[in-house]
Amino acid sequence: QVQLVESGGGLVQAGASLRLSCAASGRTFTDYLIGWFRQAPGKEREFVAAIGWSAFTTIYTDSAKGRFTISRDNAENTVYLQMNSLKPEDTAVYYCAADPSITKLRHGVSDYWGQGTQVTVSS
């Protein structure tokens, strides 16, 4: 059993920055890969980024490369998503997910999900 709570979303203008947080509890944090997904109205959830137990292991979708940075603080059981140069197409509800399998995580079939935090980018 893993509990995940996201925070840090908001309404910003294009070009601004936000940092999202995902606080985890319930199991040994380093047993899990943590990923960020987003879902726009009428669309399916899509993968954004993921991080392993080591900060050297990170994966990004093409639209996030060069703008978003995923990191983790194991002492605080928290994963962050730093989002810079935000665009209107980044508008969505952002969710974090946990799974020991990178394959399951990247395909959006993880067993554990947070409730999401809204990110809105105006032009």
Side-chain angles (χ1 to χ4, degrees):
Q1 184 69 34
V2 176
Q3 294 81 45
L4 304 171
V5 180
E6 304 96 333
S7 62
L11 173 62
V12 298
Q13 295 182 338
S17 298
L18 284 172
R19 189 179 73 160
L20 306 183
S21 298
C22 174
S25 63
R27 294 190 184 183
T28 302
F29 192 55
T30 53
D31 287 344
Y32 291 86
L33 298 154
I34 304 296
W36 284 98
F37 294 75
R38 63 188 181 188
Q39 185 171 25
K43 301 292 184 66
E44 296 181 350
R45 288 182 183 177
E46 65 172 338
F47 173 79
V48 177
I51 190 168
W53 61 268
S54 169
F56 300 123
T57 305
T58 58
I59 302 171
Y60 298 93
T61 193
D62 287 344
S63 64
K65 291 179 180 177
R67 300 189 299 126
F68 294 2
T69 302
I70 189 170
S71 61
R72 69 189 298 162
D73 185 338
N74 289 338
E76 299 293 332
N77 287 348
T78 302
V79 171
Y80 303 97
L81 184 68
Q82 178 68 44
M83 305 188 295
N84 298 326
S85 301
L86 284 164
K87 305 174 181 179
E89 52 261 44
D90 295 318
T91 296
V93 177
Y94 283 70
Y95 300 88
C96 62
D99 203 280
S101 168
I102 185 62
T103 299
K104 290 178 61 181
L105 190 64
R106 293 187 67 184
H107 287 87
V109 293
S110 301
D111 289 333
Y112 302 104
W113 295 85
Q115 294 297 310
T117 184
Q118 177 71 49
V119 172
T120 303
V121 184
S122 65
S123 60

